[in-house]
Amino acid sequence: MSSDEQKKLIEIMNTCGNCMLVTKCNEGLMRGRPMHAITVETKDNGAADVWFMADRGSPKVKELASNNLICLTFANESKKQWASVNGPAELVEDRQKIKELWQPLYTAWFPKGNEDPSIVLVKMQLKNGEFWDSYANFIVVAFGAVRAAVTGESLKPGEIQKTSFPTA
């Protein structure tokens, strides 16, 4: 069963939807690009996977073939929530799963629809992650910063949690 931290992290990820997917380039540098996280699937044992669609000829797919460890970062500025997760990714060739995950929006990237042969799924297995939930608005945070400066205490603008996920 998922812990409260895992549930909160997945809730933030689902609320954001879009994220930055970070891979390691062949040159050894980190490279991020915006992606739409289609869904986060959780399993009975608490393990979780994040699914994406990608073009099999894209640099991210080539980078995953060289190094499958990736990082995803999520931001919801209006709710003052951020999340970062890490784990291995794999390329999945599953036409039925593509049809299951397909949304009309994807036609912008894949004009041939869910039968487009260039589509490959990316499945990331969540290993660990952390989230920041700053439930306070700007005025409350500003007041807290002034109070912290006056009292010499650290600013505590919200909740910060780390969590790990079991393997599938």
Side-chain angles (χ1 to χ4, degrees):
M1 183 55 71
S2 296
S3 70
D4 289 341
E5 290 85 11
Q6 290 168 336
K7 289 177 185 175
K8 179 70 175 185
L9 177 62
I10 290 170
E11 175 188 318
I12 291 171
M13 293 168 63
N14 283 328
T15 301
C16 293
N18 295 321
C19 65
M20 292 296 288
L21 175 125
V22 182
T23 57
K24 189 171 184 180
C25 301
N26 290 335
E27 299 82 28
L29 302 173
M30 305 305 291
R31 179 166 183 237
R33 80 274 291 148
M35 293 288 289
H36 177 70
I38 298 172
T39 188
V40 180
E41 289 182 348
T42 56
K43 299 180 174 108
D44 290 338
N45 69 351
D49 298 321
V50 184
W51 290 89
F52 301 90
M53 285 192 195
D55 185 310
R56 71 181 65 254
S58 67
K60 70 182 139 289
V61 169
K62 292 175 184 155
E63 291 161 5
L64 287 171
S66 298
N67 184 338
N68 74 332
L69 295 178
I70 63 173
C71 174
L72 306 176
T73 61
F74 296 82
N76 186 331
E77 186 61 35
S78 67
K79 289 190 170 190
K80 305 293 185 220
Q81 295 176 323
W82 298 269
S84 174
V85 294
N86 298 284
E90 64 179 295
L91 301 174
V92 177
E93 301 278 350
D94 184 338
R95 301 315 300 177
Q96 189 58 40
K97 188 71 172 177
I98 291 170
K99 289 177 183 177
E100 174 189 327
L101 298 174
W102 185 261
Q103 297 175 20
L105 165 73
Y106 304 144
T107 305
W109 291 274
F110 304 103
K112 296 177 184 172
N114 59 23
E115 296 293 332
D116 191 324
S118 69
I119 298 173
V120 65
L121 293 171
V122 177
K123 180 175 98 171
M124 176 207 195
Q125 179 186 9
L126 295 183
K127 281 295 196 185
N128 57 55
E130 53 191 303
F131 66 85
W132 299 261
D133 189 359
S134 180
Y135 34 79
N137 65 32
F138 175 76
I139 293 170
V140 173
V141 173
F143 177 76
V146 170
R147 184 179 67 217
V150 170
T151 63
E153 297 176 3
S154 295
L155 174 64
K156 294 179 179 65
E159 180 181 10
I160 301 171
Q161 293 290 335
K162 295 182 181 181
T163 187
S164 297
F165 290 82
T167 55

